[in-house]
Amino acid sequence: MIAILHTLWDVSAASYAEANGIDEADVPRELGGYASACINDIPALADSDGWARCLHTPDLPDQLDGRVRQRIDWRVAVTATSWLAARGLDQQTARTDLLAHLAWDLYHLPSICVTDAVMTATYAVDGRETRREFRPDDRRTA
């Protein structure tokens, strides 16, 4: 099963820098690098021998009012049976669960979940687009 996950991140440079002990100027590079490095370590994806590859490596994003806005798109590949086994699901929900689960886990990565980040995940399943916004108030409650 191949799926595409689009993510749009919006985080204050100060919040991310403080949470991660880096300079604010390094936030655009660090945010994208961190998410890219961590996505393949998400337990359900690793347990199902799946993988994700970054499709969109943007130039440094615009910083408006001290906020970093960055788009990161992923191509995710995993066999449906492996994903279903790792998650204990039935065949009808594999693709939707894969994308929703990865989006939730990306937003809850340790170096992101302590910031003021907002992430919008967009993906299509069976021709229907789903768009979900994750906000700080949503943390650890999906």
Side-chain angles (χ1 to χ4, degrees), residues 1-91:
M1 166 172 67
I2 304 290
I4 305 295
L5 174 63
H6 304 282
T7 60
L8 181 60
W9 299 85
D10 181 343
V11 62
S12 74
S15 172
Y16 193 88
E18 181 181 332
N20 293 285
I22 61 173
D23 290 330
E24 288 184 30
D26 294 332
V27 171
R29 180 179 43 82
E30 292 291 328
L31 174 63
Y34 177 71
S36 295
C38 291
I39 192 167
N40 286 299
D41 293 331
I42 290 174
L45 190 59
D47 292 348
S48 61
D49 293 325
W51 55 268
R53 184 182 65 165
C54 185
L55 291 176
H56 188 265
T57 40
D59 294 333
L60 291 181
D62 294 334
Q63 291 191 42
L64 307 171
D65 301 329
R67 296 195 68 81
V68 174
R69 290 164 179 86
Q70 188 169 30
R71 179 178 170 175
I72 308 171
D73 299 333
W74 311 96
R75 181 177 191 262
V76 182
V78 62
T79 63
T81 53
S82 295
W83 181 259
L84 294 170
R87 297 276 294 143
L89 301 171
D90 65 62
Q91 184 66 35

Side-chain angles (χ1 to χ4, degrees), residues 80-110:
T81 53
S82 295
W83 181 259
L84 294 170
R87 297 276 294 143
L89 301 171
D90 65 62
Q91 184 66 35
Q92 299 300 318
T93 61
R95 185 176 306 270
T96 301
D97 181 75
L98 169 69
L99 295 166
H101 187 81
L102 290 178
W104 190 90
D105 272 4
L106 278 170
Y107 185 70
H108 289 85
L109 288 170

Side-chain angles (χ1 to χ4, degrees), residues 116-137:
D116 68 351
V118 174
M119 182 192 74
T120 303
T122 308
Y123 49 90
V125 176
D126 298 328
R128 290 187 326 250
E129 184 175 277
T130 297
R131 183 180 180 97
R132 170 129 190 243
E133 186 174 87
F134 295 86
R135 306 187 69 69
D137 291 344

